[in-house]
């Protein structure tokens, strides 16, 4: 009996370290049949970040593709594309000077009670230099810590907030540089949310580090300096080259990543060139810990 992945014909090519994979021989403009969806979900669970070259999707097709993974996530603070309330346009003009959106390591909206399980990006205009998106494998970063340090982390609760990225003192709100993306900031940016520092993935049941310099603002029960010494160590540890997949864009790629077990960082380096991405998110559950 053939497996769903064989029946579907989908080809999966793992990238370095098996973190990240290219998926071909599938047309994402049409609904996936059961075999194709199951093969794709299997590849995604195994590789955490999957990308599909040469996929020319309309906004409507991008919305339909997203809905095959679940409900849309709730995207705060950024005005969506008119007529498409669940699609954001990440746009930076050639003459724009403000720091690019999504720079620095984060897992999307981790300050929410139920952060998105997945994010999907569709590349529309890709600059000739720079503009890579880089990813951290938060499973391996956790698994390769010493057992004693993992035991310490397993019992901790991290605090997440949007205040550094979107609060009144953030570069986004107080910065003077003009941006082509349109933001709608409200007073929820100061809210603080608690999530397990080590997250158990609802599908794979693997454990992953769930903290980031953009959204983590402390550790429950610890003084700021105590928390910083753990978090700063973790950020240095997680972002070692051996845990990274670097995605180089071409126009009309679809990329799907798992926010439950990865961090990402949108690199700049393309001043003087336009970059345009369309982005959707898939709703997730309340992050579960080990306790
Ligand atoms: C983001 O969603 O954080 C931005 C990703 C990118 O533009 O590459």
């Amino acid at each position: 009996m053939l497996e769903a992945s064989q029946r579907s014909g989908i080809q999966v090519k793992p990238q370095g370290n098996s973190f990240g994979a290219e998926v071909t021989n599938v047309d994402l403009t049409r609904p996936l049949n059961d075999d194709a969806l199951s093969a794709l979900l299997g590849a995604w669970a195994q590789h955490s970040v999957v990308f599909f070259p040469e996929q020319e999707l309309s906004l409507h097709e991008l919305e339909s593709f997203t809905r095959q993974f679940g409900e849309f996530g709730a995207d705060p603070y950024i005005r969506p594309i008119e007529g498409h309330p669940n699609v954001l346009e990440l746009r930076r003009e050639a003459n724009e000077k403000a720091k690019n959106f999504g720079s620095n390591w984060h897992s999307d909206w981790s300050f929410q009670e139920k952060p998105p399980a997945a994010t999907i990006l569709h590349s529309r205009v890709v600059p000739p230099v720079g503009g890579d998106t880089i990813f951290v494998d938060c499973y391996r970063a956790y698994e390769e810590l010493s057992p004693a340090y993992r035991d310490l982390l397993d019992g901790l609760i991290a605090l997440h907030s949007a205040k550094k990225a979107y609060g009144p003192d953030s570069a986004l709100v107080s910065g003077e540089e003009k941006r082509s993306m349109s933001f709608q900031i409200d007073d929820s940016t100061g809210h603080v949310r608690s999530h397990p520092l080590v997250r158990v993935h609802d599908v794979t049941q693997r454990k992953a580090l769930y903290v980031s310099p953009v959204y983590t603002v402390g550790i429950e029960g610890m003084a700021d300096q105590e928390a910083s010494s753990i978090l700063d160590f973790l950020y240095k540890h997680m972002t070692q080259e051996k845990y990274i997949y670097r995605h180089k864009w071409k126009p009309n790629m679809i990329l799907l990543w798992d926010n439950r077990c990865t961090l990402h960082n949108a690199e700049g380096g393309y001043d003087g060139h336009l970059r345009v991405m369309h982005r959707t998110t898939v709703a997730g559950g309340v992050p579960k810990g080990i306790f």
Side-chain angles (χ1 to χ4, degrees), residues 90 101-103 106 108 119 121 131-133 249 257 264-267 275 277 279:
L90 313 187
F101 175 81
S103 59
H106 61 287
D108 285 331
T119 302
L121 272 194
D132 297 352
T133 309
W249 292 97
W257 71 77
H264 61 281
N265 181 348
E267 272 197 346
R275 183 179 189 266
M277 300 273 161
R279 184 181 119 146

Side-chain angles (χ1 to χ4, degrees), residues 25-40:
N25 213 24
V26 57
D27 176 3
L28 303 185
T29 62
R30 298 203 233 133
L32 299 164
N33 63 31
D34 289 349
D35 283 341
L37 185 58
S38 139
L40 210 158

Side-chain angles (χ1 to χ4, degrees), residues 6-82:
Q6 289 169 298
R7 287 195 302 268
S8 71
I10 282 181
Q11 303 288 318
V12 179
K13 186 171 159 205
Q15 304 298 294
N17 300 326
S18 262
F19 175 50
E22 179 185 51
V23 182
T24 52
N25 213 24
V26 57
D27 176 3
L28 303 185
T29 62
R30 298 203 233 133
L32 299 164
N33 63 31
D34 289 349
D35 283 341
L37 185 58
S38 139
L40 210 158
L41 287 172
W44 187 41
Q46 194 175 347
H47 304 289
S48 308
V49 180
V50 288
F51 64 95
F52 309 81
E54 294 173 31
Q55 300 285 347
E56 199 160 339
L57 272 66
S58 66
L59 288 177
H60 175 69
E61 287 162 346
L62 175 62
E63 289 160 333
S64 304
F65 172 68
T66 306
R67 287 287 287 105
Q68 292 174 90
F69 296 90
E71 301 286 330
F72 287 116
D75 291 315
Y77 310 136
I78 304 163
R79 232 168 241 118
I81 296 181
E82 208 175 319

